[in-house]
Amino acid sequence: MQLKFYNYTIGIYSVVLLMSLVLFYGLPKEGLLDPTLDQGSFAEKEVYDDAAMMWDLDLLEGIHPDKEWRFQYEGNHLKIVSADNGTPQIVVKRTAAHTGEIRAAEYRKATFIAELLNPFQLSLSGNMLSVWEPGRCELKFKAFDKDFTANQFGEKSVQHQERLIREMDFVQELYLYVPDDVEIDYDPDSVFLKIKDSK
Amino acid sequence: MSLAEVSLWAVIKKQYIFKIKSYSNLYVSMVAVQLIAFLFTAGGMAGTSGIGYNNIYIEVKMCSGTGVFIFTVLWIMANSFILTLPLCRNIDFSFVTNRISSNMANIGFMATAAIAGGITTALATILLRNVFYYTTESKFLFAANFWVEPGELLTGAGVAIMYLLLFSAAGYLAGALMQLHRSLYVILPALLLGMFFYESANEHIRIFKALDFFFLEKSPLLFTFKIAVAVLLLWVCAMGLSNRTEVR
């Protein structure tokens, strides 16, 4: 009786393992998360770093506007405030004077993380532009390390951390385009503003 | 006194088959140990890391089949040790036997256990991947390291078998050593634990680094050679020691 139980246990386990093997090699190879990290992406990082230093990320090809706002504005004084407890980071670019329009754009990098993020929110009331941060975004991923035995003669395991850091850089940026003649007022303790003059 | 002549190989074969049948509970314990390791591993035993950038927080739960392998190593070491206990040794005397045939049958049994352990370990890592695949949304599961080529799977099974042979031989030697005197039941584990604590307290001293002799070997031929020589040495020592134990 006991021997029968042992044989059944071993038999069932073997069948499950073998079925799992067949199932695994039948899985479609597409669809899983596969960010590439090659020499090209290292060069790309330099391009992004340089553009960020010049506050010109909005001019890069790999960055696209995810959301845009256009406000008619005839005033000559704009107050930018944080509408929540966060400290939004905004790049302000000066545009030609007397256009009567303030434009805003949320740019996102073309990466898998960008699709999973919440958007910024903006509203203009009088001369006050309120900015809501996207809020904390928690993403939980799963990854495999190479098995110790399978890796005895192989290469180092892929470092997912390094890939993610690269993907997260400049993934979501808010740009404001404000006419040159509009004076900007903000509290540096609640809004982190980088203003780039049109000259 | 028996007048029938029995060849050594015939006795070894008979004992080996007997062990395979009568110790099938050890294989059930292997299934249990691997399932326990599987549950721990599926829970993210290989670690979790997190990084933040502005308002984004990313957590990566790592997984690996190494946990199943480590548990299988512990299983085979314990079982090899059990084979040297008087209870198991005395069963051998139901046959026409001597120390050599008994040891050879044990070695055969351990080799079979290592093969079974190695193959199931490799397959369990595939089962683990399947579980992750079907329980995780694909956009949250990294493809890198997930896919295992058939060659890689075979290598993994082969390497696992070699390591299991090595650790089973080490467990068998430890068991044979302990049969010399009862006090060694306490002294040997205490020495091993002591070395662990000593090493962790003294960063510059790395006793267990000696295992890098095997772990860091990147040539398949040299790796096989090293393991084979070490296993042979351990078995010969264990057989030599078992010849010193009292006869029944």
Side-chain angles (χ1 to χ4, degrees):
Chain A
M1 183 66 190
Q2 206 172 26
L3 194 67
K4 230 177 190 180
F5 167 73
Y6 292 159
N7 289 341
Y8 273 129
T9 309
I10 296 163
I12 291 169
Y13 187 56
S14 307
V15 168
V16 168
L17 289 179
L18 287 173
M19 276 172 59
S20 140
L21 184 71
V22 174
L23 196 66
F24 181 75
Y25 285 110
L27 290 177
K29 290 225 169 183
E30 311 80 44
L32 295 192
L33 200 55
D34 197 9
T36 49
L37 188 63
D38 49 20
Q39 267 323 99
S41 62
F42 279 100
E44 194 181 72
K45 183 182 168 12
E46 273 183 33
V47 174
Y48 275 87
D49 285 343
D50 290 347
M53 270 177 65
M54 303 301 292
W55 304 331
D56 280 335
L57 282 167
D58 57 335
L59 303 178
L60 287 184
E61 251 182 49
I63 296 245
H64 64 275
D66 187 70
K67 206 171 174 189
E68 279 188 288
W69 298 262
R70 286 173 189 276
F71 304 106
Q72 295 304 315
Y73 192 73
E74 299 301 335
N76 56 8
H77 180 262
L78 179 71
K79 189 173 171 64
I80 301 172
V81 294
S82 166
D84 49 24
N85 290 329
T87 314
Q89 194 170 305
I90 306 164
V91 174
V92 177
K93 279 192 162 181
R94 289 301 200 173
T95 56
H98 310 297
T99 56
E101 183 187 71
I102 293 173
R103 195 162 65 83
E106 179 191 322
Y107 289 94
R108 292 194 185 181
K109 194 158 80 172
T111 168
F112 67 94
I113 295 176
E115 298 160 17
L116 309 168
L117 301 176
N118 302 317
F120 277 96
Q121 283 181 46
L122 267 73
S123 105
L124 183 69
S125 166
N127 70 339
M128 191 188 289
L129 181 73
S130 305
V131 180
W132 283 265
E133 272 200 311
R136 188 175 161 85
C137 179
E138 280 193 22
L139 303 172
K140 292 184 178 178
F141 295 95
K142 286 179 183 172
F144 269 82
D145 252 349
K146 277 207 169 180
D147 301 330
F148 165 73
T149 48
N151 206 30
Q152 174 79 34
F153 314 119
E155 295 297 308
K156 216 176 85 179
S157 202
V158 171
Q159 295 302 305
H160 300 285
Q161 195 88 342
E162 199 181 334
R163 286 174 175 227
L164 283 174
I165 291 170
R166 194 65 49 79
E167 297 291 330
M168 282 164 77
D169 273 348
F170 319 115
V171 69
Q172 187 177 32
E173 303 282 332
L174 183 62
Y175 274 64
L176 280 181
Y177 302 91
V178 182
D180 227 354
D181 58 315
V182 178
E183 191 189 328
I184 295 172
D185 177 23
Y186 69 98
D187 175 9
D189 286 337
S190 61
V191 180
F192 188 69
L193 219 61
K194 295 182 268 187
I195 303 174
K196 183 173 185 179
D197 290 325
S198 56
K199 289 156 204 164
Chain B
M1 189 177 164
S2 169
L3 294 175
E5 269 196 37
V6 186
S7 79
L8 179 65
W9 285 113
V11 174
I12 292 170
K13 193 179 160 192
K14 211 169 187 182
Q15 277 188 330
Y16 167 76
I17 292 169
F18 168 75
K19 280 172 200 281
I20 290 286
K21 282 183 181 165
S22 60
Y23 295 153
S24 55
N25 59 331
L26 297 185
Y27 288 98
V28 176
S29 69
M30 179 195 76
V31 175
V33 161
Q34 289 190 347
L35 287 178
I36 291 168
F38 191 90
L39 289 177
F40 278 120
T41 308
M45 198 167 74
T48 303
S49 59
I51 38 171
Y53 177 82
N54 293 339
N55 54 321
I56 310 162
Y57 177 76
I58 288 182
E59 182 188 283
V60 185
K61 191 179 261 187
M62 300 300 295
C63 187
S64 149
T66 305
V68 179
F69 170 68
I70 291 169
F71 273 60
T72 311
V73 164
L74 293 176
W75 164 80
I76 205 162
M77 281 185 87
N79 282 336
S80 304
F81 174 79
I82 287 169
L83 286 177
T84 62
L85 293 177
L87 185 73
C88 291
R89 268 190 301 141
N90 292 342
I91 293 173
D92 289 347
F93 292 105
S94 322
F95 297 87
V96 176
T97 188
N98 57 24
R99 292 267 186 244
I100 294 176
S101 67
S102 173
N103 277 316
M104 293 302 282
N106 281 342
I107 286 169
F109 178 76
M110 285 186 289
T112 310
I115 292 168
I119 292 171
T120 50
T121 300
L123 292 179
T125 66
I126 298 295
L127 180 63
L128 195 65
R129 282 169 164 82
N130 273 324
V131 169
F132 265 63
Y133 186 87
Y134 286 106
T135 56
T136 311
E137 220 180 314
S138 57
K139 64 179 176 184
F140 291 108
L141 181 61
F142 276 92
N145 301 338
F146 179 84
W147 301 111
V148 181
E149 295 301 322
E152 210 179 334
L153 184 70
L154 283 175
T155 307
V159 170
I161 290 170
M162 298 302 273
Y163 276 122
L164 289 174
L165 271 176
L166 179 70
F167 284 107
S168 72
Y172 194 62
L173 175 64
L177 206 59
M178 284 188 199
Q179 301 316 312
L180 291 180
H181 199 272
R182 279 179 184 276
S183 62
L184 288 168
Y185 275 99
V186 179
I187 293 172
L188 271 186
L191 262 177
L192 195 68
L193 266 180
M195 281 200 293
F196 269 118
F197 286 125
Y198 185 72
E199 197 180 284
S200 56
N202 299 279
E203 279 183 12
H204 57 288
I205 297 168
R206 285 279 165 264
I207 304 161
F208 292 101
K209 267 266 181 205
L211 286 173
D212 283 350
F213 178 67
F214 302 106
F215 293 159
L216 300 182
E217 183 53 62
K218 292 288 171 196
S219 155
L221 267 179
L222 269 178
F223 173 75
T224 311
F225 179 72
K226 282 179 177 180
I227 296 269
V229 170
V231 166
L232 273 177
L233 278 175
L234 291 167
W235 277 342
V236 167
C237 288
M239 286 170 83
L241 284 173
S242 72
N243 280 334
R244 294 171 62 107
T245 50
E246 76 280 8
V247 290
R248 192 173 177 236

